[in-house]
Amino acid sequence: MVIFKKAHDIKVYLDTKKGKNDHIGFIPTMGALHAGHVSLIRAAVDNGDFVVCSIFVNPSQFNEKSDFDKYPVTQEADIRMLIDAGCDVLFMPSTDEVYPGGYEKHTPVDFGYLDTILEGALRPGHFQGVGQVVGLLLDIISPERLYLGQKDYQQCLVIKKLLDERGNAEGPELIICPTKREEDGLAMSSRNARLTEPQRALAAVIYQCLVSIQSKQHLDRFQLVCKECIDLLEKKGLKPEYVSLADAETLEIIEDYDPSRKMVALIAARIGDVRLIDNLVIN
Ligand code: AMP
């Protein structure tokens, strides 16, 4: 695996790969890698891509400074994991490299409705930061395929919109990979490393709630199931921020189960000062 820190250098290197039947598959990450990230790398390897991964903890997408300051950094282990997974190139730029003029002077991207609900409503500026960094990374890497995890469901729709707005006819193709979970169902996340042992044991309740939203869709009204979930999360000591049901294509919030639509259940909850999100497509 070749590691680059400078945008110019990786661009020059990747230019030598283009036109040689190599499809570049790109996986942007913030590091502290786990099996969820590795599944994205593997999907790109299995597609026969020339695999490029980036590790960059993007300051502009953190709406809480303490979350940014405490974001886990495990560089050496990350590099080992990427080599084992079959990654070809790692891009590890500094903040100055990604934002030579600073990240404050940014033309906002119009994500419309998507930026006003759920994560968009609760984390002001978050998706602007995500859109800003993914746009810049795509300019540098110019991949044919972009791999994202369903774990960040709303982010997938935001990036889909970003790609539409960029109006880039020849790509990249967006590939959304399923959420990797721990044995007890907890969605893998870099932030899980910040949970204490007792917190970690409780965290699987988020997935249990998603499964109960799914399994009760023919039995009960969503508002009742939602209330049960909020009560259960609170009983376990979590602070739910939302337990929502939405149209899986548009993320329009829906009040009750509607079998005529593809639906996704989404939860955000805090355990101590760690904020976790998860989702499940329920039909
Ligand atoms: P992050 O490093 O958290 O920014 O995540 C980088 C990419 O990995 C994003 O596309 C995430 O959606 C994806 N990802 C994170 N956790 C998981 C998981 N448990 N399963 C699958 N993909 C994931």
Side-chain angles (χ1 to χ4, degrees):
M1 185 173 75
V2 193
I3 302 179
F4 291 95
K5 296 198 165 179
K6 299 281 175 202
H8 171 77
D9 296 347
I10 190 170
K11 253 186 180 169
V12 169
Y13 180 78
L14 292 177
D15 276 348
T16 67
K17 296 282 160 195
K18 293 196 177 118
K20 281 196 189 162
N21 292 333
D22 274 325
H23 281 97
I24 294 178
F26 177 45
I27 299 102
T29 82
M30 297 203 297
L33 301 182
H34 50 68
H37 297 111
V38 169
S39 71
L40 271 56
I41 306 281
R42 287 263 160 79
V45 171
D46 290 348
N47 277 337
D49 290 348
F50 186 77
V51 183
V52 180
C53 176
S54 65
I55 294 181
F56 177 60
V57 185
N58 172 36
S60 78
Q61 72 186 70
F62 285 82
N63 55 315
E64 288 174 27
K65 191 175 174 303
S66 64
D67 189 26
F68 176 66
D69 291 341
K70 289 182 193 163
Y71 203 83
V73 176
T74 56
Q75 220 177 78
E76 274 179 35
D78 289 354
I79 291 172
R80 250 179 283 125
M81 230 184 259
L82 288 173
I83 293 171
D84 290 346
C87 181
D88 295 296
V89 172
L90 169 60
F91 184 41
M92 284 173 71
S94 65
T95 304
D96 286 346
E97 189 64 20
V98 176
Y99 301 115
Y103 55 79
E104 295 83 4
K105 293 182 222 104
H106 165 61
T107 318
V109 193
D110 183 11
F111 294 123
Y113 168 74
L114 281 177
D115 214 354
T116 65
I117 48 153
L118 306 172
E119 295 301 290
L122 287 163
R123 301 187 65 190
H126 169 63
F127 287 130
Q128 286 302 325
V130 170
Q132 177 185 28
V133 76
V134 172
L136 288 168
L137 290 170
L138 290 176
D139 289 343
I140 296 168
I141 313 289
S142 300
E144 275 76 24
R145 297 194 184 102
L146 174 65
Y147 293 82
L148 301 176
Q150 190 193 315
K151 154 85 171 47
D152 299 282
Y153 197 93
Q154 193 172 0
Q155 174 170 280
C156 291
L157 295 183
V158 162
I159 299 298
K160 188 169 178 294
K161 188 147 190 340
L162 177 79
L163 297 180
D164 291 345
E165 298 277 312
R166 285 164 66 93
N168 194 342
E170 62 268 8
E173 178 191 356
L174 184 56
I175 298 187
I176 296 173
C177 301
T179 304
K180 274 266 171 197
R181 300 181 178 283
E182 304 286 356
E183 259 177 36
D184 62 0
L186 175 66
M188 291 184 179
S189 163
S190 305
R191 288 185 176 88
N192 294 353
R194 290 181 47 213
L195 298 172
T196 62
E197 226 171 273
Q199 287 173 335
R200 168 64 192 83
L202 293 172
V205 68
I206 296 175
Y207 181 64
Q208 287 155 18
C209 286
L210 290 169
V211 171
S212 119
I213 294 170
Q214 179 174 50
S215 62
K216 292 185 176 162
Q217 61 186 304
H218 304 296
L219 303 173
D220 239 332
R221 303 205 52 136
F222 175 67
Q223 289 311 326
L224 296 175
V225 182
C226 173
K227 170 87 175 50
E228 277 171 20
C229 290
I230 289 175
D231 290 347
L232 179 63
L233 290 161
E234 286 177 344
K235 199 170 128 214
K236 298 266 182 182
L238 281 74
K239 289 203 184 75
E241 292 195 349
Y242 56 77
V243 175
S244 297
L245 187 65
D247 182 296
E249 309 291 336
T250 62
L251 226 56
E252 180 195 339
I253 302 297
I254 46 188
E255 295 300 313
D256 205 354
Y257 294 117
D258 179 354
S260 70
R261 299 165 116 168
K262 190 175 163 199
M263 295 176 280
V264 59
L266 306 106
I267 294 181
R270 282 183 196 265
I271 310 186
D273 66 347
V274 183
R275 187 173 183 279
L276 299 178
I277 59 169
D278 197 358
N279 66 82
L280 194 65
V281 173
I282 65 161
N283 61 336

